[in-house]
Amino acid sequence: MNVSLKWLEQLTNLKLDPKELENKLTMSGTKVEKIHYNGQNIKGILTGQITKIEKHPDADKLVICQVNMGTETLQIVTGATNVYENAIVPVATPNSVLSDGTKIKKGKLRGVESNGMLCSIEELGKTKDEFPEAPEDGIYIFKEETPLGIDAAEHLGLRETVLELELTSNRPDCYSMIGIAREASASYGKKFEEAELPKLNGTNPPTTMANIETPNCNRYMLLRVPNIKVCISSKEVQNKLRASGSRPINNIVDITNLVMLEYGQPLHAFDAEKVVGNITIRQAKNGETIKLLDSNEYTLTEEIMVIADEKAPIAIAGIMGGYDTRVTEETKTILLESANFDGPNIRNSSKILNIRTDASTHYEKGLDPNTSEKSLKRAVQLLNNYIENSGNINELFVDNYPNKIYTHEIPYSAENINSLLGINISNSEVENILNLLGIQTEAGVAKIPTFRKDMHGEADIAEEVIRIYGYDKLEPTMDKVVTLAKLTRSQKLEKFIKDFCISQGLYEIVTSSFETPELAKELGVNTEPITILNPLAGQSVMKVESATGMLSAMRLNYSRRNLNVNFFEFSKVYLKDTTGAEFKINETKVLTIGKYGGNSDFYSIKGIVEELLASLGISNFGRASIKFMPNSIPFLHNGRRASILIGEKELGYLGEVHPEILENYEINERAYLACLNFDELEKYADLERTYKPLPKFPSIKRDLTMIIKRYIYIDIVEKTLLKYGTSLLESVSFVSVYTGENVKETHKSVTYSLVFRSLEKTLEDSEVNEIMENIIKKCEEELIAIIKT
């Protein structure tokens, strides 16, 4: 929100230093993001009156102007075509500076001396949108009586100090100049006094009634204002709008916008002669259409609230008015609306229609229905300047307020507040601070005004006290009990795995938990996803397979010519819990690894998984307890995919991505994936380390090559070797597999390296030979193996 310092000074009757105000507001909870010193770089541009215009002797498109600056007359050559004698214009005098930093000096144009420049509104750093009276292309001309020789930027309201505020969503009252004025006054120890407003004392029956037929409208006020003259707003109103980031349009629209900025309450004006009969606030009918002020036609649904006359909708409630009932220069009578609508309904309607306006932004935050009346009174006060015979303006109004909201009370005590905050403040000081904020107190009870919807208990009272009292006044104290934070076992394990992955040359990535429904289906995963009620950018379901995020990241990197990718990610997959009647979601944390390019192949990603399991101590269960078994995962290559098992429990999977999937993802490289269930890893992982002394005796290594049938898994071979290797067999390592010449198509040749060692003595070859003979015999019997020597 942008706040004009000049406007704030008018409301608070305080002389405000911007830096001091920035500090006070920020320390009291209203953060100032930035201070804009608008127009401060404009120098030496004054008002002047053209007294004489002559043609340039050597240029058809130039004229020579004599300009009265009040104390002197300057000769200025210009090519502008809209200037005329007696026009008062902004003049950039010699050595002046324009808004863009351009310096103006004396010079000659086609041999004629020119002592400055006549300025357009653009050269003053503004646009025609901000100054509707400015010409499309030409010098800005002051329409009203303007003194000569004064600062033109100051006179036009260009020199404004504007504070850019960051406001929290729980304080809708601060989205207004009145709200900020109250906060600023309290920060300076002064109670804010709102200006007196005229009364709305209707005596005659209104000519237009307003009926509420929807629970989404809390209050609806309508004022009939006759004898209107639509024209340009006063300079003061325009300057306030520009400083706040709004552009002036005409006096009626400008007043509604000004009141919204001042009180935070949107208003809307209808041309009364274009409204047919009574007004009804209702939900739209499916298929109804309306043309709005943006000149676009919209088809409505029953979720959208409308303002309708007896013929059709004339506005989308809280968002935008209708085109057919808009105020124009011919408008003589208006119906001025001040209403309070349900914030969630306005937000939902805004999203359905894809329209976001200043009005909808205010309504979404949840406004105080009692502000509607104040805002209407303020509008009347401003409109009186533009209405003939304005004395009868108060006699024709409607106020439909079915469920009136009143102040509520919160008991408090200075003792409790001191206990909560760790300060020592008296009851009178508490009362004073609350009164500064517009909260009345009586005998230890705070009467909370309706514009403070964020206050519900004594802790909220304490919060108000400390932010005005000053956070900087809090004395530091040592806690009686200090608890050192420690990582949980799960957090330690995740950190350990991340460190391991980084040591393997993998880079961590993070992908979204939301995705489009098509991603999982493209991988052949038919699990029904969980649908998001309020999706963004088409991502309407929760992730059911972590491979979708990894493959998307790999596709992005491949498209950016990253030809060597090594990624890992901790993410969650979300599946429906079908065990009971109640809807539940199972969230499973998984580790996903993705690779392509470089030395990536099936065995490299399998090696990373094996090393990870070993580093987690899972190999302590025995090498044979970790199995890699073929699976039927549809997005992995047949024959190059495996499930990772510990005993009979599945930890995850790994394999090469199917070529068709890679083609869909536009990756022209072989890619590999591995996925491990973190919850299962946590069950079996053992991060405790027991160190053993280095062996004292040497080992004996033997290689064993055998031909076995292709359907026999490597896992079965390893089990057999370990089973008959006795306690002297220290380790079994797979070396290679061969299929091809001299090996039948139904068979394969596999080679293992076996290491034998005794912890008590040096082994003899004869001892190892005896064990090897038994291993060979059992492999021939159980595996039908042919041993190669």
Side-chain angles (χ1 to χ4, degrees):
M1 175 178 171
N2 291 336
V3 171
S4 162
L5 187 69
K6 190 180 297 183
W7 192 357
L8 194 60
E9 287 179 332
Q10 291 176 1
L11 292 171
T12 60
N13 291 319
L14 292 171
K15 184 62 180 176
L16 301 171
D17 175 80
K19 295 303 291 184
E20 182 185 18
L21 178 62
E22 176 188 23
N23 181 62
K24 285 184 176 293
L25 285 177
T26 300
M27 289 301 293
S28 64
T30 307
K31 184 181 178 183
V32 178
E33 281 286 322
K34 191 175 182 181
I35 301 177
H36 300 274
Y37 296 96
N38 297 337
Q40 299 301 315
N41 57 332
I42 301 175
K43 297 177 182 177
I45 300 181
L46 308 176
T47 57
Q49 185 174 36
I50 301 172
T51 57
K52 186 177 181 181
I53 300 177
E54 298 176 304
K55 287 186 176 181
H56 193 290
D58 295 321
D60 293 337
K61 295 185 178 181
L62 298 177
V63 295
I64 305 169
C65 299
Q66 303 300 322
V67 184
N68 178 13
M69 303 302 298
T71 57
E72 62 177 330
T73 298
L74 298 178
Q75 177 173 289
I76 296 176
V77 179
T78 180
T81 57
N82 69 315
V83 294
Y84 53 88
E85 292 183 356
N86 296 321
I88 300 175
V89 297
V91 181
T93 59
N95 301 316
S96 61
V97 181
L98 302 182
S99 65
D100 61 0
T102 302
K103 293 182 179 179
I104 303 301
K105 296 182 179 181
K106 292 182 180 180
K108 289 185 177 182
L109 289 176
R110 290 291 187 94
V112 176
E113 185 177 288
S114 182
N115 297 305
M117 184 179 78
L118 308 184
C119 297
S120 66
I121 200 65
E122 288 78 13
E123 285 159 338
L124 295 173
K126 296 297 177 180
T127 64
K128 180 171 170 53
D129 279 345
E130 296 172 283
F131 285 80
E133 72 276 15
E136 287 288 349
D137 183 21
I139 303 304
Y140 182 82
I141 297 175
F142 292 98
K143 301 299 182 184
E144 71 279 1
E145 291 287 334
T146 304
L148 303 183
I150 64 172
D151 189 324
E154 187 71 36
H155 186 69
L156 288 168
L158 306 185
R159 296 195 196 283
E160 278 278 4
T161 300
V162 177
L163 281 70
E164 184 181 336
L165 305 184
E166 179 185 325
L167 302 173
T168 54
S169 58
N170 69 321
R171 291 294 305 275
D173 59 298
C174 285
Y175 284 83
S176 65
M177 288 298 301
I178 294 292
I180 297 301
R182 185 182 295 110
E183 291 291 310
S185 295
S187 299
Y188 280 87
K190 179 185 175 182
K191 186 176 180 181
F192 173 68
E193 300 289 349
E194 289 190 43
E196 187 176 346
L197 297 172
K199 294 182 180 180
L200 297 175
N201 296 320
T203 55
N204 297 333
T207 56
T208 302
M209 296 296 294
N211 303 307
I212 299 176
E213 294 182 357
T214 172
N216 293 317
C217 179
N218 304 314
R219 186 176 191 179
Y220 195 85
M221 301 187 73
L222 197 66
L223 183 72
R224 185 172 183 271
V225 186
N227 306 318
I228 281 291
K229 180 181 180 182
V230 178
C231 57
I232 294 175
S233 299
S234 68
K235 187 177 72 172
E236 181 185 7
V237 169
Q238 291 193 40
N239 289 345
K240 286 179 176 178
L241 291 175
R242 293 188 194 107
S244 302
S246 298
R247 64 184 184 92
I249 298 174
N250 60 51
N251 58 334
I252 305 303
V253 176
D254 292 353
I255 285 171
T256 62
N257 287 336
L258 185 75
V259 172
M260 180 175 68
L261 292 169
E262 198 167 54
Y263 283 87
Q265 168 68 53
L267 302 178
H268 183 70
F270 301 98
D271 187 325
E273 296 177 4
K274 298 175 183 176
V275 176
V276 180
N278 292 328
I279 282 177
T280 302
I281 302 90
R282 60 173 173 82
Q283 298 302 125
K285 299 171 185 176
N286 284 327
E288 274 189 311
T289 60
I290 183 173
K291 185 179 181 182
L292 296 182
L293 289 172
D294 61 2
S295 299
N296 294 319
E297 187 167 293
Y298 296 87
T299 301
L300 309 179
T301 64
E302 60 186 10
E303 294 94 345
I304 299 169
M305 183 171 31
V306 297
I307 312 300
D309 62 10
E310 294 181 0
K311 184 178 179 183
I314 57 175
I316 305 295
I319 298 177
M320 190 180 290
Y323 184 85
D324 294 337
T325 55
R326 72 193 187 282
V327 173
T328 65
E329 292 181 358
E330 289 75 35
T331 299
K332 302 300 180 186
T333 303
I334 63 170
L335 293 175
L336 190 60
E337 167 196 280
S338 181
N340 185 275
F341 303 118
D342 179 61
N345 178 268
I346 299 301
R347 177 168 174 77
N348 186 49
S349 300
S350 181
K351 290 190 67 176
I352 292 172
L353 296 169
N354 196 25
I355 305 174
R356 191 167 180 82
T357 61
D358 289 339
S360 67
T361 301
H362 278 76
Y363 277 120
E364 287 171 10
K365 292 172 173 48
L367 302 181
D368 174 20
N370 293 325
T371 306
S372 300
E373 185 173 351
K374 290 182 181 180
S375 302
L376 201 58
K377 290 177 178 178
R378 175 60 172 150
V380 168
Q381 194 175 54
L382 293 168
L383 282 168
N384 277 327
N385 298 324
Y386 302 100
I387 302 170
E388 297 177 6
N389 304 319
S390 61
N392 63 351
I393 191 172
N394 293 338
E395 297 180 2
L396 308 167
F397 82 99
V398 173
D399 184 7
N400 199 335
Y401 195 0
N403 300 304
K404 192 167 184 178
I405 296 176
Y406 298 93
T407 60
H408 65 281
E409 297 182 345
I410 299 176
Y412 71 91
S413 73
E415 183 181 355
N416 290 343
I417 290 173
N418 287 329
S419 176
L420 279 170
L421 301 176
I423 60 176
N424 186 17
I425 187 171
S426 67
N427 188 66
S428 61
E429 288 178 288
V430 173
E431 288 184 357
N432 181 56
I433 289 174
L434 295 177
N435 292 337
L436 289 177
L437 293 167
I439 302 170
Q440 296 180 4
T441 57
E442 184 179 342
V445 174
K447 298 179 180 180
I448 310 302
T450 53
F451 61 79
R452 290 302 302 271
K453 295 183 178 181
D454 59 309
M455 297 185 66
H456 307 287
E458 192 171 19
D460 297 315
I461 299 287
E463 181 184 358
E464 296 303 298
V465 169
I466 190 59
R467 68 187 188 87
I468 301 301
Y469 177 77
Y471 292 106
D472 55 332
K473 295 179 183 177
L474 286 172
E475 293 292 336
T477 56
M478 180 66 72
D479 287 341
K480 294 179 181 179
V481 179
V482 178
T483 303
L484 295 177
K486 293 183 179 180
L487 296 178
T488 64
R489 183 177 185 275
S490 178
Q491 290 170 329
K492 288 179 181 177
L493 181 63
E494 183 174 339
K495 183 178 184 302
F496 181 90
I497 293 174
K498 284 184 177 182
D499 291 342
F500 171 84
C501 290
I502 293 170
S503 73
Q504 297 293 312
L506 304 177
Y507 293 87
E508 185 176 11
I509 64 169
V510 179
T511 61
S512 175
S513 294
F514 306 149
E515 61 185 24
T516 60
E518 294 76 23
L519 282 180
K521 290 180 180 178
E522 288 174 359
L523 297 186
V525 178
N526 295 318
T527 305
E528 184 182 356
I530 295 164
T531 303
I532 301 167
L533 295 177
N534 192 16
L536 294 173
Q539 296 179 324
S540 59
V541 299
M542 303 293 287
K543 186 186 293 183
V544 297
E545 171 56 60
S546 65
T548 55
M550 181 60 70
L551 285 168
S552 297
M554 293 165 76
R555 170 172 56 190
L556 176 63
N557 277 266
Y558 190 82
S559 70
R560 302 289 172 85
R561 300 187 179 181
N562 185 357
L563 302 181
N564 186 13
V565 157
N566 299 277
F567 287 158
F568 78 94
E569 178 188 24
F570 272 101
S571 61
K572 287 186 178 181
V573 293
Y574 304 84
L575 304 173
K576 292 181 180 178
D577 186 341
T578 57
T579 57
E582 185 180 352
F583 176 77
K584 291 183 179 179
I585 300 174
N586 286 331
E587 298 183 19
T588 304
K589 183 184 286 188
V590 294
L591 167 68
T592 310
I593 300 172
K595 288 170 63 67
Y596 72 71
N599 62 348
S600 299
D601 58 22
F602 179 86
Y603 294 104
S604 69
I605 199 165
K606 180 173 179 284
I608 290 174
V609 172
E610 288 178 325
E611 287 295 325
L612 173 60
L613 296 177
S615 68
L616 292 174
I618 295 178
S619 60
N620 292 340
F621 286 83
R623 176 66 185 272
S625 64
I626 300 173
K627 298 185 291 187
F628 295 87
M629 303 293 291
N631 60 35
S632 57
I633 293 176
F635 54 85
L636 297 180
H637 198 302
N638 186 25
R640 300 172 191 171
R641 59 192 179 190
S643 293
I644 306 164
L645 306 176
I646 181 166
E648 299 303 319
K649 191 69 177 179
E650 186 171 346
L651 293 179
Y653 63 81
L654 59 82
E656 181 180 329
V657 182
H658 197 284
E660 290 183 2
I661 301 298
L662 291 175
E663 185 178 348
N664 290 340
Y665 277 84
E666 299 177 338
I667 301 174
N668 193 26
E669 288 273 358
R670 288 189 173 187
Y672 302 88
L673 294 175
C675 180
L676 293 166
N677 185 317
F678 179 80
D679 297 332
E680 294 299 324
L681 286 179
E682 189 176 2
K683 290 179 184 177
Y684 296 105
D686 182 9
L687 298 182
E688 298 294 329
R689 294 291 178 262
T690 302
Y691 293 95
K692 298 179 180 180
L694 292 173
K696 298 178 181 179
F697 303 100
S699 63
I700 295 178
K701 180 181 177 182
R702 297 291 172 85
D703 289 339
L704 178 63
T705 301
M706 65 182 84
I707 297 175
I708 57 175
K709 292 186 177 180
R710 284 197 178 189
Y711 65 79
I712 297 176
Y713 298 134
I714 300 300
D715 174 68
I716 296 175
V717 178
E718 291 182 354
K719 275 186 177 180
T720 304
L721 298 177
L722 288 167
K723 181 179 179 182
Y724 298 107
T726 75
S727 61
L728 296 178
L729 180 57
E730 184 178 72
S731 66
V732 175
S733 301
F734 174 76
V735 177
S736 66
V737 60
Y738 171 76
T739 57
E741 191 177 350
N742 298 326
V743 178
K744 293 181 181 179
E745 290 185 2
T746 56
H747 287 66
K748 59 186 174 183
S749 174
V750 293
T751 300
Y752 286 88
S753 177
L754 288 71
V755 177
F756 297 88
R757 189 195 307 270
S758 171
L759 300 178
E760 300 173 352
K761 64 175 183 175
T762 300
L763 288 175
E764 300 287 342
D765 279 344
S766 58
E767 294 177 273
V768 176
N769 290 341
E770 184 179 343
I771 298 172
M772 284 297 298
E773 288 175 4
N774 186 51
I775 289 175
I776 290 170
K777 179 182 177 184
K778 294 300 181 181
C779 287
E780 289 174 337
E781 291 176 356
E782 297 183 9
L783 303 178
I784 321 298
I786 301 171
I787 307 301
K788 297 186 71 176
T789 56

Coordinates of all heavy atoms in Angstrom, one line a residue, residues 265-292:
Q265 N -13.1 1.2 2.2 CA -14.4 0.7 1.8 C -14.7 1.1 0.4 O -14.8 2.3 0.0 CB -15.5 1.3 2.7 CG -16.9 1.1 2.2 CD -17.3 -0.3 2.3 OE1 -17.2 -1.0 3.4 NE2 -17.8 -0.9 1.2
P266 N -14.8 0.1 -0.5 CA -15.1 0.4 -1.9 C -16.5 1.0 -2.0 O -17.4 0.5 -1.3 CB -15.0 -1.0 -2.6 CG -14.1 -1.8 -1.7 CD -14.4 -1.3 -0.3
L267 N -16.7 1.9 -2.9 CA -18.0 2.4 -3.3 C -18.2 2.3 -4.8 O -17.2 2.1 -5.5 CB -18.1 3.9 -2.9 CG -17.8 4.4 -1.5 CD1 -17.9 5.9 -1.4 CD2 -18.8 3.7 -0.5
H268 N -19.5 2.3 -5.2 CA -19.7 2.3 -6.6 C -20.9 3.1 -7.0 O -21.9 3.2 -6.2 CB -20.0 0.8 -7.1 CG -20.2 0.7 -8.6 ND1 -19.2 0.9 -9.5 CD2 -21.4 0.5 -9.3 CE1 -19.7 0.8 -10.7 NE2 -21.0 0.6 -10.6
A269 N -20.8 3.8 -8.1 CA -21.9 4.7 -8.5 C -22.6 4.2 -9.8 O -21.9 3.9 -10.8 CB -21.3 6.1 -8.8
F270 N -23.9 4.1 -9.7 CA -24.7 3.8 -10.9 C -25.4 5.0 -11.5 O -25.7 5.9 -10.7 CB -25.8 2.8 -10.6 CG -25.3 1.5 -9.9 CD1 -25.3 1.3 -8.6 CD2 -24.9 0.4 -10.7 CE1 -24.9 0.1 -8.0 CE2 -24.5 -0.7 -10.2 CZ -24.5 -0.9 -8.8
D271 N -25.6 5.1 -12.8 CA -26.4 6.1 -13.3 C -27.9 5.7 -13.0 O -28.4 4.7 -13.5 CB -26.2 6.2 -14.9 CG -27.0 7.4 -15.5 OD1 -28.1 7.7 -15.0 OD2 -26.5 7.9 -16.5
A272 N -28.6 6.5 -12.1 CA -29.9 6.2 -11.6 C -30.9 6.0 -12.7 O -31.8 5.1 -12.6 CB -30.4 7.2 -10.6
E273 N -30.8 6.8 -13.8 CA -31.8 6.7 -14.9 C -31.7 5.4 -15.7 O -32.6 5.1 -16.5 CB -31.6 7.9 -15.8 CG -31.9 9.2 -15.0 CD -31.7 10.5 -15.9 OE1 -31.4 10.3 -17.1 OE2 -31.9 11.6 -15.4
K274 N -30.5 4.7 -15.6 CA -30.3 3.5 -16.3 C -30.7 2.2 -15.5 O -30.6 1.1 -16.0 CB -28.9 3.4 -16.8 CG -28.5 4.5 -17.8 CD -27.1 4.5 -18.1 CE -26.7 5.7 -19.0 NZ -25.2 5.7 -19.3
V275 N -31.0 2.4 -14.2 CA -31.4 1.3 -13.3 C -32.9 1.1 -13.4 O -33.7 2.1 -13.2 CB -30.9 1.6 -11.9 CG1 -31.4 0.4 -11.0 CG2 -29.4 1.7 -11.8
V276 N -33.3 -0.1 -13.7 CA -34.8 -0.4 -13.8 C -35.4 -0.9 -12.5 O -35.0 -2.0 -12.1 CB -35.0 -1.4 -15.0 CG1 -36.5 -1.7 -15.1 CG2 -34.4 -0.9 -16.3
G277 N -36.2 -0.1 -11.9 CA -36.9 -0.6 -10.7 C -36.0 -0.7 -9.5 O -35.0 0.0 -9.3
N278 N -36.4 -1.7 -8.6 CA -35.6 -1.9 -7.4 C -34.4 -2.8 -7.7 O -34.2 -3.4 -8.7 CB -36.5 -2.7 -6.4 CG -37.7 -1.8 -5.9 OD1 -37.5 -0.6 -5.8 ND2 -38.8 -2.4 -5.6
I279 N -33.5 -2.7 -6.7 CA -32.2 -3.4 -6.7 C -32.3 -4.7 -5.8 O -32.9 -4.6 -4.7 CB -31.0 -2.5 -6.3 CG1 -30.7 -1.6 -7.5 CG2 -29.8 -3.3 -5.9 CD1 -29.6 -0.6 -7.2
T280 N -31.7 -5.8 -6.3 CA -31.6 -7.0 -5.5 C -30.2 -7.5 -5.5 O -29.5 -7.5 -6.6 CB -32.5 -8.1 -6.1 OG1 -33.9 -7.6 -6.2 CG2 -32.5 -9.4 -5.3
I281 N -29.7 -7.9 -4.3 CA -28.4 -8.4 -4.2 C -28.6 -10.0 -4.1 O -29.2 -10.4 -3.1 CB -27.7 -7.9 -3.0 CG1 -27.5 -6.4 -3.0 CG2 -26.3 -8.5 -2.9 CD1 -28.7 -5.6 -2.4
R282 N -28.1 -10.7 -5.1 CA -28.4 -12.1 -5.1 C -27.3 -12.9 -5.8 O -26.3 -12.3 -6.3 CB -29.7 -12.4 -5.9 CG -29.7 -11.8 -7.4 CD -30.9 -12.2 -8.2 NE -31.0 -11.6 -9.5 CZ -30.3 -12.1 -10.6 NH1 -29.5 -13.2 -10.5 NH2 -30.5 -11.5 -11.7
Q283 N -27.4 -14.2 -5.8 CA -26.4 -15.0 -6.5 C -26.9 -15.1 -8.0 O -28.1 -15.1 -8.3 CB -26.3 -16.4 -6.0 CG -25.8 -16.5 -4.5 CD -24.5 -15.9 -4.3 OE1 -24.3 -15.0 -3.5 NE2 -23.5 -16.4 -5.1
A284 N -25.9 -15.1 -8.9 CA -26.3 -15.1 -10.3 C -26.9 -16.4 -10.7 O -26.8 -17.4 -10.0 CB -25.0 -14.9 -11.1
K285 N -27.6 -16.4 -11.8 CA -28.2 -17.6 -12.3 C -27.2 -18.2 -13.4 O -26.6 -17.4 -14.1 CB -29.5 -17.3 -13.0 CG -30.6 -16.8 -12.1 CD -31.8 -16.3 -12.8 CE -32.8 -15.6 -11.9 NZ -34.0 -15.0 -12.6
N286 N -27.1 -19.5 -13.4 CA -26.1 -20.1 -14.4 C -26.5 -19.6 -15.8 O -27.7 -19.8 -16.2 CB -26.2 -21.6 -14.3 CG -25.5 -22.1 -13.0 OD1 -24.5 -21.5 -12.6 ND2 -25.9 -23.2 -12.4
G287 N -25.5 -19.1 -16.5 CA -25.7 -18.7 -17.9 C -26.0 -17.3 -18.1 O -26.0 -16.8 -19.2
E288 N -26.3 -16.5 -17.0 CA -26.6 -15.1 -17.1 C -25.3 -14.4 -17.6 O -24.2 -14.8 -17.3 CB -26.9 -14.5 -15.7 CG -28.4 -14.5 -15.4 CD -28.7 -13.8 -14.1 OE1 -28.1 -13.9 -13.1 OE2 -29.7 -13.0 -14.2
T289 N -25.5 -13.3 -18.3 CA -24.3 -12.6 -18.9 C -24.4 -11.1 -18.5 O -25.5 -10.6 -18.2 CB -24.3 -12.7 -20.4 OG1 -25.5 -12.1 -21.0 CG2 -24.1 -14.1 -20.9
I290 N -23.2 -10.5 -18.4 CA -23.2 -9.1 -18.1 C -21.9 -8.5 -18.8 O -20.9 -9.1 -18.9 CB -23.1 -8.8 -16.6 CG1 -23.1 -7.3 -16.3 CG2 -21.9 -9.5 -16.0 CD1 -23.2 -7.0 -14.8
K291 N -22.1 -7.3 -19.3 CA -21.0 -6.5 -19.9 C -20.5 -5.6 -18.8 O -21.3 -4.8 -18.3 CB -21.4 -5.7 -21.1 CG -20.3 -5.0 -21.8 CD -20.8 -4.3 -23.1 CE -19.7 -3.6 -23.8 NZ -20.2 -2.9 -25.0
L292 N -19.2 -5.7 -18.5 CA -18.7 -4.9 -17.4 C -17.9 -3.6 -17.9 O -17.8 -3.4 -19.1 CB -17.7 -5.7 -16.5 CG -18.3 -7.0 -15.8 CD1 -17.3 -7.7 -15.0 CD2 -19.5 -6.5 -14.9

